[in-house]
Amino acid sequence: MTASTEVRPVPARRRPPERNVLENENLGTRLRHLRYRFSPQQLFAELFEKRWMEPAIPLAILVGVIVFFSIAAPGFATTANLLSSATELAEISLVCLGMAVVMISGGIDLSVGSMFGLCNIVVLLLITVVGVPVVPAILLTIVVGAVLGSVNGSIVAYLKARPFLTTLVTLIIFRGVLNLLDLHYSAQTAMVFLMDPVWDWFSTGKVAGIPFSFVTLLVVLVAGHLLLSRSRFGWHVTAVGASRRAARHAGIRVERVLLLGYVISGALCALAGVFYAARLGSASARVGEGMELSVLTAVILGGISLSGGKGTVWRAFIGAATISLLGKGLLLMDVGGEVLQTALAVVLIIAVGLDTKWGKNRGKAIQKTYVNPTLVEYGTPPDVRPGSGTRYEINDRLSDAEEIGLGEVEGPEDVILDDQGRIYCGTRQGWILRFSGEDYRDREIFARIGGHPLGLAFDSAGDLIVCVGGMGLYAVSPDGKHRKLSDETNRTWTRLRDDSRLRLPDDLDIAPDGKIYFSEATNRFEMADWVLDGIEGRPNGRLLCYDPATGKTRTAVPDLVFPNGVCCSHDGESVLIAQTWLCRILRYWHSGPKKGRLEVFMDNFPGYVDNINRGSGGAYWIAICGMRSPAYDLAMRMPKFRRRMMKRIPRDEWLYPSMNHGCVVRVSERGEVLDTYWDPGGKKHSTITSMREHDGYLYIGGLENNRIGRIKVREVPAAAAGEARRTRHASVS
């Protein structure tokens, strides 16, 4: 067999990924393997999947605007113009951020321009007319902005008024107040000169050469990002914007969330008004006039939905930067105001159209490119036909197996027995069942975890350690209470995707030193789509190690092709790892003279190997959950065929690995096949995923079974009948 991973010594600190074994292959074969190993399609799929790729179109338009005006507009790319643009950008961006928060919550604020202009004159009046010092005047102005925002929020949230009409009315009211103040105090605010260091800092101050207003904007952006994406309030804002009824049913105080959104908008408008007043040193009734249209254009351009429930502060900033730089560039090109408005309208139409297309088709693009088949080559499978005389010859030894819990269990992927001889197994409902009593007739729910329990093992304290699909590694105490041990590991920083979260923990075993070795079958696919990993055939899995002493999980062996079963060797120095799609078993030495070495234990099985467990007499039991077929072996050598299959025919018509046979294999410590147990056609035990030897009997579980099987083990010496009980090593703290 030409295996699809290289086996070699692996350094203890950083183990390189498995590669195809190509030592005996010619250069053409090597290049063919490498061609499918490194594919741009996977990079693009993972790139499109990232959340920060959602504003790809607005960001592309922003970059296009910068490049165009850097070439077409003289002086656009100069340091002086960039600093000036950063100051003006900070002011409009702060207003856009306030509008963004309101729109994400499902509202709209048309009064932002009037609040901006009103707060601009308020801060100057507080300083010049009232005589308030600069710092208190700035703080009072922000409070005034928050109060103005609370007026909008109170009417919308508690009086149930429509946001559009409400803020349109308050726009007129706030603008009227601004006109009155300008009428009576225009002389005092027409030109203001202040000799105050704080005021100078707000007007011309710089931090490392960057305008203070822009630095403040960056701080607000980071704070806004953390608020919306990492805080309960931010989650509530998004939930209210997505569906007020659903948010209310979830216990969210919708009215308070809406009110606070408008308060934040008013406060940010006030802060922008303060920077504007400090920069120009004057106020008038025209300040902020028409700003609401520019702000609304910028926010929509950034991709924030008018229907609510979608958007980020960064998208609002992208839109604001596009509008601000577009206006600055046209001004440098001596373009009139009417052309500017037309250009804004054209850019908005193009951007919204492209962004809508991108939003609708991004998911489809990911779906069509995410599964990226690679080259996997198998050797000729062993002959399993009756009368073939091979070690794998089909028999019917499982046909008469006893049936435990028939119809009372769904999908017992793994089975295990305790010291009292009671049977434990997981179910699709997220339960761990326990069978006891005469002929195991007594059934009880031992624990309710939630996810599908897969691999099981007892530690020295009597806790049942469980790999839970989609959740992580858990421990269940003897009284049935469960606790999480780990749901993440160290991230691979050289990868685009964050692989720190555990997606499909599968099987586990406990080493003599108490460390728990467990497999993650795939970190690219969720549990419901695990079979897609077989179609892809890439090294998406890994062997992990949880240390109870530190409570930390680390990656012991990365980049394995669907590592499934895990079993510590009898001498406790190595771990056996079943690679389902490669039909082989690896041995990883975690201690002893071969520490750090990864090598092949057995290869070229006639089917897809699953769990592994220790047996009596130094043997091991291996479950075969499905059989290889010539058609699928051929398909695995044809990545382009599998790719076309996924694109051209419905998913329920794809060619999948055959998972409809039942077989258990007993092998020696040296990897020699000693015995096999078959259920031809899988009539009673199809898709066998686990088996456990206990006191001379073999207990059988399967992912698609509705029973647990039990059969007497053939030719087991009496002295060795109890050797296969689980070795208890160390408790999990």
Side-chain angles (χ1 to χ4, degrees), residues 20 69 101 140 149 158 283 294 345 415 428 443 456 470 497 538 572 574 633 672:
N20 295 334
F69 285 116
V101 173
L140 284 174
Y158 294 100
S294 298
V415 294
R428 286 196 184 91
R443 170 188 176 275
L456 307 172
R497 291 182 68 254
R538 290 186 175 274
S574 62
D633 280 10
E672 301 169 335

Side-chain angles (χ1 to χ4, degrees), residues 197-392:
V198 176
W199 192 253
D200 292 340
W201 190 254
F202 269 75
S203 61
T204 59
K206 288 183 174 61
V207 178
I210 302 175
F212 176 67
S213 58
F214 193 79
V215 174
T216 303
L217 170 65
L218 295 179
V219 173
V220 173
L221 278 170
V222 173
H225 171 73
L226 296 176
L227 181 69
L228 290 180
S229 63
R230 297 291 187 271
S231 72
R232 181 175 297 180
F233 171 74
W235 302 334
H236 288 179
V237 167
T238 303
V240 170
S243 174
R244 292 190 186 182
R245 177 179 296 180
R248 186 172 282 108
H249 290 169
I252 298 175
R253 299 177 65 177
V254 175
E255 289 76 15
R256 185 176 67 177
V257 171
L258 292 173
L259 173 62
L260 290 177
Y262 281 97
V263 169
I264 292 173
S265 176
L268 290 177
C269 287
L271 180 59
V274 170
F275 278 114
Y276 185 84
R279 180 166 62 90
L280 297 184
S282 65
S284 72
R286 302 295 301 273
V287 173
E289 199 171 64
M291 175 182 274
E292 55 276 348
L293 296 179
S294 298
V295 170
L296 187 59
T297 301
V299 173
I300 296 175
L301 181 63
I304 295 180
S305 174
L306 280 170
S307 59
K310 178 184 176 182
T312 65
V313 294
W314 302 107
R315 302 191 72 163
F317 172 71
I318 291 173
T322 303
I323 294 299
S324 178
L325 295 178
L326 182 62
K328 189 77 170 181
L330 292 175
L331 184 63
L332 290 174
M333 294 179 66
D334 259 343
V335 175
E338 64 282 354
V339 177
L340 173 61
Q341 295 300 322
T342 303
L344 290 178
V346 171
V347 170
L348 178 61
I349 292 173
I350 294 175
V352 172
L354 292 176
D355 195 40
T356 301
K357 279 286 186 181
W358 170 252
K360 288 182 177 180
N361 295 292
R362 175 170 164 264
K364 295 179 182 178
I366 295 173
Q367 184 180 12
K368 290 184 178 181
T369 60
Y370 193 77
V371 182
N372 184 23
T374 190
L375 175 64
V376 178
E377 294 181 317
Y378 298 104
T380 303
D383 195 346
V384 300
R385 293 174 297 176
S388 62
T390 66
R391 292 287 188 177
Y392 292 105

Side-chain angles (χ1 to χ4, degrees), residues 371-427:
V371 182
N372 184 23
T374 190
L375 175 64
V376 178
E377 294 181 317
Y378 298 104
T380 303
D383 195 346
V384 300
R385 293 174 297 176
S388 62
T390 66
R391 292 287 188 177
Y392 292 105
E393 180 181 347
I394 289 180
N395 54 59
D396 60 355
R397 292 170 186 164
L398 294 181
S399 300
D400 297 328
E402 300 177 41
E403 298 170 341
I404 299 173
L406 179 62
E408 297 180 337
V409 58
E410 294 183 28
E413 203 274 350
D414 197 9
V415 294
I416 195 169
L417 293 90
D418 61 14
D419 288 334
Q420 302 178 41
R422 297 175 294 186
I423 302 175
Y424 297 78
C425 69
T427 72

